[in-house]
Structure formats: C-alpha cells, structure tokens
Amino acid sequence: MFIKPGKFFMGSSVGEVGRRNNEQRHLVSITEGFYIQKTPVTQYQWTKIIGYNPSRFRKNGDHRPVENIDWIEAQKFIAKLNRMVIDPKYRLPTEAEWEYACRCGRYTPFSFGESYLAAKSANIDTMGTSEVASFPPNAWGIHDMHGNVWEWCQDWISDYTPTVDIDPRGPENGSLKVIRGGSWEGGVVYCRSACREARNVNSSFCNLGFRLCY
C-alpha cells in the first residue's frame, strides 16, 4: 500500500488512557512516500523464503502472521528477499512511518476510534494469532496495525525530539529495537497507535512478528 508524504502529530495526547511518559506528542514530517505491506508477513511468506516455520500458532498457518521472530532474523529474511528481486529495497518501517501509516490521519487512541471493539476491530485479548486481514483495514487500507502480533521497526528506541522531526530514524546506536502495535495478548492499552515498546534484537516471542516496507 503506497503512503503519501505528509505531516502528523506523533505520540499521544495528555489524558489518553494508558498514556506513558515516552509518548510526548510532537510534529513529524514524512517527506517521501513509501510502500508498506497491507498485513504482517505470513508464515507462508516466511517459509517460502527461509525454509522453516518458527511459529507457535500453525493452524491455517499459511494465512497467519509468522511469529517467534527476532529482529536479526527479520533482517535475514529481508536480505534474502532483496537478493531475489530486481530492485532490492525491502526493509522494516521506521517507527515514524509505522505510526503515520497506523493513524491514517486520525488522532484517536486507535485508528478506528476512541474505544476498543474487540469483536469487530482487532485481535486483542484472545488465545492466539488470527489469520491476517481477518478484521477491517484502517482508512488507508492497512490491516492488523492493532493487535495480532507486535511488529518490529527499524529504529533503536530513544526519547522523542520535542521540535519538528523530519523523517526520524532513531539514534545510530542503542540496546533495544522498537516494536509497535500490541498483540493478541497483553491488554488493550498496548495496542494504541502511540504505544511504544522495545526489545533486544535477539528477543523472539509468539506474539512478535513484522511487516515489510520499501
């Protein structure tokens, strides 16, 4: 899905339920359009490239997101995929690109509004992953930005810049990589558009996957 360049307020508003201190709202400018995958990478896609399936939830797995993937493994998948295509540009989204695409022009806690509607809007607080695109997309046509699996971003996590940030890509070094979107477990507040978590590059869990960008 192509995402046009634009400006948006990244982070959450004071008073948003679940808000954390690392979500200070600030203006971000995305100066170049980019493509982002409509769904997380599936087990079928992963196995086609890598040759094995690390996922816990394998029933109808071809259509479920791949999980149990650490950041380094995601990079290996991307590198191998890029060697197979003519114009190798696949990568993980930056944290700013991820939130920009998730919000799709909205500033409510979720891209679908203020409240959490589990049965209609996202796979949150369930017993495992669901097939990708089982729930309606956001206004820009992107599925599963809330819940299902956490998604790796490219950036090392750091505090936000209080001034206008242009195409932010995080610090050059760090100890933890950003993950976004929440998952099928862990609670509603983690699935908000602004929620930020981070993990070691070697961390892999059955609620953690990724989607491609270029």
Side-chain angles (χ1 to χ4, degrees):
M1 181 62 63
F2 181 71
I3 306 299
K4 295 180 180 180
K7 295 181 179 179
F8 78 110
F9 283 99
M10 188 172 180
S12 58
S13 60
V14 175
E16 181 173 303
V17 176
R19 186 178 195 263
R20 297 174 171 184
N21 292 332
N22 67 353
E23 298 174 13
Q24 297 91 339
R25 178 160 284 183
H26 61 293
L27 185 63
V28 168
S29 177
I30 304 292
T31 63
E32 295 184 9
F34 60 96
Y35 286 89
I36 192 166
Q37 190 172 0
K38 290 183 179 181
T39 71
V41 170
T42 64
Q43 294 174 35
Y44 173 82
Q45 292 169 324
W46 175 272
T47 305
K48 196 76 173 176
I49 299 297
I50 301 298
Y52 69 92
N53 187 356
S55 303
R56 172 181 172 183
F57 300 105
R58 299 189 185 186
K59 184 177 180 180
N60 300 323
D62 279 359
H63 305 289
R64 288 182 184 236
V66 69
E67 17 89 2
N68 273 330
I69 301 299
D70 67 33
W71 189 89
I72 294 174
E73 290 171 323
Q75 295 297 328
K76 291 179 180 178
F77 174 92
I78 291 169
K80 188 169 183 179
L81 177 60
N82 279 330
R83 290 194 295 269
M84 299 170 66
V85 298
I86 296 174
D87 190 16
K89 293 182 179 179
Y90 290 106
R91 58 181 175 84
L92 292 176
T94 67
E95 183 181 17
E97 288 171 338
W98 191 98
E99 186 170 329
Y100 181 54
C102 176
R103 287 192 175 281
C104 56
R106 305 196 65 175
Y107 293 104
T108 51
F110 305 93
S111 62
F112 46 75
E114 292 282 350
S115 64
Y116 159 61
L117 304 173
K120 297 181 180 180
S121 302
N123 178 17
I124 305 173
D125 280 338
T126 61
M127 298 300 292
T129 61
S130 59
E131 294 185 12
V132 299
S134 293
F135 297 87
N138 68 16
W140 287 356
I142 311 168
H143 293 269
D144 298 319
M145 297 296 274
H146 303 288
N148 216 3
V149 288
W150 285 99
E151 298 177 11
W152 287 110
C153 292
Q154 187 64 33
D155 312 36
W156 298 106
I157 197 164
S158 64
D159 292 335
Y160 285 147
T161 302
T163 56
V164 177
D165 214 349
I166 300 174
D167 297 322
R169 298 190 178 279
E172 293 185 3
N173 299 289
S175 58
L176 301 172
K177 289 288 185 178
V178 175
I179 60 173
R180 286 301 206 107
S183 75
W184 55 269
E185 66 169 356
V188 176
V189 295
Y190 298 103
C191 300
R192 295 173 299 111
S193 300
C195 184
R196 312 174 72 207
E197 286 280 331
R199 297 290 184 271
N200 184 282
V201 295
N202 298 117
S203 297
S204 59
F205 303 98
C206 61
N207 63 354
L208 179 53
F210 68 105
R211 76 176 69 217
L212 297 173
C213 187
Y214 69 90

